[in-house]
Amino acid sequence: LCFSQPVSSPDVKCLAVNPLNGDVTLTWTTPVGPGGFTGYKIFSAPAAAGPYTLAGTEPVFAQPSFTHIGAGANTSRVYYQVQTEYNPGPVLSAPKDTFSTIFLNVAVGVGTATLTWNKISFLPISTSSGWYKIYREYPAAVWTLLDSTQNLTYTDIVDVCNTGLSVINYKVEIDDN
């Protein structure tokens, strides 16, 4: 009789949203193993409480990422839990945390734009910088770093002239080691 050792879930480090189609690429560090590894199971939900459905499976132990095609994270926040499946069983390890894509809201005022967003995890990520970088795209295709903050809000003084059809885009990023 042979038993495999339990394999913990991976440590998720990044959720990158494709701004054009809303696909989400999750990146993680692989757990100790592979033991009886059979695959990573990636579950997604529209709310932290669920319901969670299987977004996909990554069968390669050393593969540190998965892209959720059709996630729609460019129009709303998407939540994730990543679990490792292993034998005998198969058994699913507990997820390390619930993760979420950063969803940016912009409230336009007179000469200002107030940006608010969310954390990507409920528990702190030990290798995260803890600093959110705020970028503005103006003019088109020119991204400028405006500032960095540890808060979940930022007010931009909009100092560009009204040129008719001009659009100002923003993005928020957080670094991980």
Side-chain angles (χ1 to χ4, degrees), residues 19-163:
L20 299 178
N21 62 18
D23 293 350
V24 176
T25 299
L26 293 87
T27 305
W28 57 77
T29 55
T30 56
V32 175
F37 175 87
T38 58
Y40 298 112
K41 302 287 186 184
I42 298 88
F43 296 92
S44 70
Y52 284 84
T53 58
L54 185 65
T57 300
E58 175 50 57
V60 178
F61 178 76
Q63 176 62 33
S65 65
F66 171 83
T67 299
H68 180 193
I69 305 295
N74 57 340
T75 59
S76 66
R77 191 171 170 182
V78 180
Y79 294 83
Y80 291 95
Q81 292 182 347
V82 182
Q83 296 177 271
T84 301
E85 183 179 62
Y86 60 92
N87 282 319
V91 177
L92 281 175
S93 62
K96 298 270 180 155
D97 196 0
T98 298
F99 299 89
S100 164
T101 54
I102 291 176
F103 192 72
L104 177 61
N105 291 295
V106 180
V108 178
V110 178
T112 65
T114 301
L115 289 63
T116 57
W117 59 91
N118 56 276
K119 295 180 180 182
I120 71 164
S121 65
F122 293 109
L123 299 174
I125 297 174
S126 64
T127 55
S128 172
S129 70
W131 287 86
Y132 296 93
K133 294 180 181 177
I134 300 99
Y135 293 88
R136 176 173 59 188
E137 181 190 31
Y138 185 85
V142 177
W143 287 96
T144 304
L145 176 65
L146 295 177
D147 205 347
S148 295
T149 182
Q150 291 185 302
N151 298 319
L152 298 174
T153 186
Y154 178 80
T155 299
D156 182 27
I157 305 302
V158 181
D159 56 359
V160 296
C161 295
N162 182 1
T163 58

